[in-house]
Amino acid sequence: MLAARRRAYHGIMRIEGTEAAEKIVRRVRASGRENLVMILSNGCCDATAPYLYDDYIAEPDAQPIGAVGDVAVLAPGWLAKLYSSEDDVLTIDVEHGVLDDSFSLETELDCRFVLRAPVVPERR
């Protein structure tokens, strides 16, 4: 079960970060990284996986959709609309012991942020 904290609803999408994700954000910041931002985008390899960057220039239509710790989470407008129901909550969590084949900063700590979508009941 995910231990989630800090929900944010901005009329578009709700994001929550687990305590584990917030801990990794704090560790990245403590390593000397500044001006952190987390983005959800349409990357070529990891699709909508969360990426943590420093000094990142966001896409023109990027919208703030919440925060993990004190780091803003941004998503392009088209993506933010996909989960616009009040009942939809996306969770940013972390998995350990994964390959460090990403440009996202947490991979330096042998982990990777993951986006968990709500489970949709099967319709009959």
Side-chain angles (χ1 to χ4, degrees), residues 46-115:
D46 293 328
T48 56
Y51 289 86
L52 181 64
Y53 295 126
D54 57 352
D55 297 320
Y56 179 79
I57 298 173
E59 299 171 26
D61 72 334
Q63 301 173 18
I65 56 170
V68 175
D70 62 347
V71 172
V73 179
L74 306 176
W78 67 266
L79 180 60
K81 292 175 186 174
L82 292 179
Y83 293 96
S84 60
S85 168
E86 229 176 276
D87 298 327
D88 291 336
V89 179
L90 298 177
T91 302
I92 295 176
D93 197 8
V94 68
E95 292 181 350
H96 295 273
V98 297
L99 293 175
D100 59 347
D101 62 348
S102 171
F103 294 112
S104 191
L105 297 176
E106 78 282 359
T107 59
E108 297 170 358
L109 303 173
D110 292 323
C111 60
R112 184 76 174 98
F113 289 116
V114 294
L115 184 64

Side-chain angles (χ1 to χ4, degrees), residues 13-76:
M13 176 186 272
R14 288 193 306 163
I15 289 289
E16 61 184 25
T18 64
E19 289 182 37
E22 290 183 8
K23 179 179 177 182
I24 295 299
V25 166
R26 288 190 300 271
R27 286 184 61 195
V28 169
R29 184 178 306 286
S31 74
R33 300 294 188 149
E34 297 179 353
N35 303 317
L36 296 174
V37 65
M38 189 174 290
I39 62 161
L40 305 181
S41 190
N42 57 343
C44 63
C45 302
D46 293 328
T48 56
Y51 289 86
L52 181 64
Y53 295 126
D54 57 352
D55 297 320
Y56 179 79
I57 298 173
E59 299 171 26
D61 72 334
Q63 301 173 18
I65 56 170
V68 175
D70 62 347
V71 172
V73 179
L74 306 176

